[in-house]
């Protein structure tokens, strides 16, 4: 090898493995159910939210809650559409009688957006809230009224 060829090649260094920041190696996907669970728990934390979901969903959920292994569904009343970098949510809530519904909805929206964006890194583009019922002070919960099927 001539001297000019040695300088052109330079000293041999080991090839760098991986190439780049480890955070950019691969893709993370988040299931709809994960976002729904986060949103459902965040919505329930707001004062004035009595329950999540429609009356039928709550009644069926109450029966499911009594079945061993059925567990309480944190996703009841929540539907999420999750993309690669954004998500949109639809929530159905029952509010306590006497609360300002617009204020509760605003608080739910803020709490849900904060929790979902913080935990998932997804941008929440919209949170639609449907108020399906008002819980009156003297009304028994439908969940309490559902008779257990199993003894």
């Amino acid at each position: 090898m001539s001297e000019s060829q040695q300088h052109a090649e330079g000293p041999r260094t080991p090839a760098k493995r991986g190439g780049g920041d480890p955070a950019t190696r691969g893709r993370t996907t988040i299931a709809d159910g994960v976002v729904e669970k986060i949103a459902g728990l965040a919505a329930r934390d707001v004062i004035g939210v009595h329950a999540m979901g429609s009356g039928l969903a709550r009644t069926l959920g109450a029966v499911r809650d009594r079945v061993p292994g059925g567990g309480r569904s944190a996703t009841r009343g929540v539907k999420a559409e999750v993309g690669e970098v954004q998500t949109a949510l639809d929530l159905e809530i029952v509010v306590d009688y006497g609360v300002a519904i617009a204020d509760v909805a605003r608080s739910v929206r803020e709490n849900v957006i904060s929790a979902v964006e913080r935990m998932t890194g997804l941008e929440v583009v919209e949170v639609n809230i449907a108020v399906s019922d008002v819980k009156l002070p003297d009304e028994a919960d439908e969940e309490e009224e559902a008779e257990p099927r199993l003894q």
Side-chain angles (χ1 to χ4, degrees), residues 28-53:
T28 302
T29 57
I30 300 172
D32 292 3
V34 171
V35 174
E36 289 169 355
K37 191 173 283 188
I38 293 167
L41 293 172
R44 283 177 178 80
D45 282 346
V46 175
I47 294 171
V49 174
H50 179 75
M52 300 289 296

Side-chain angles (χ1 to χ4, degrees), residues 8-150:
E9 290 180 20
R12 294 246 176 210
T13 57
K16 191 174 183 180
R17 296 184 150 221
D21 178 17
T24 62
R25 297 183 207 169
R27 198 172 83 196
T28 302
T29 57
I30 300 172
D32 292 3
V34 171
V35 174
E36 289 169 355
K37 191 173 283 188
I38 293 167
L41 293 172
R44 283 177 178 80
D45 282 346
V46 175
I47 294 171
V49 174
H50 179 75
M52 300 289 296
S54 66
L56 178 60
R58 291 193 323 273
T59 302
L60 293 174
V63 171
R64 192 178 322 114
D65 293 346
R66 289 182 172 88
V67 175
R72 185 178 174 103
S73 174
T75 62
R76 187 181 313 146
V78 184
K79 179 70 180 132
E81 291 180 37
V82 180
E84 288 185 31
V85 295
Q86 295 179 324
T87 186
L89 294 147
D90 294 320
L91 281 71
E92 188 172 359
I93 66 173
V94 175
V95 297
D96 292 318
Y97 176 79
V99 300
I101 294 174
D103 292 344
V104 171
R106 184 179 310 106
S107 295
V108 166
R109 197 171 277 113
E110 290 171 357
N111 211 36
V112 166
I113 290 170
S114 174
V116 170
E117 288 185 345
R118 179 179 50 82
M119 293 181 70
T120 66
L122 296 168
E123 176 192 5
V124 178
V125 293
E126 68 179 9
V127 177
N128 299 310
I129 299 172
V131 179
S132 62
D133 201 357
V134 174
K135 167 68 171 73
L136 301 176
D138 58 344
E139 270 183 336
D141 282 340
E142 289 181 32
E143 294 178 11
E144 294 170 5
E145 290 176 1
E147 293 185 24
R149 297 173 125 187
L150 304 175

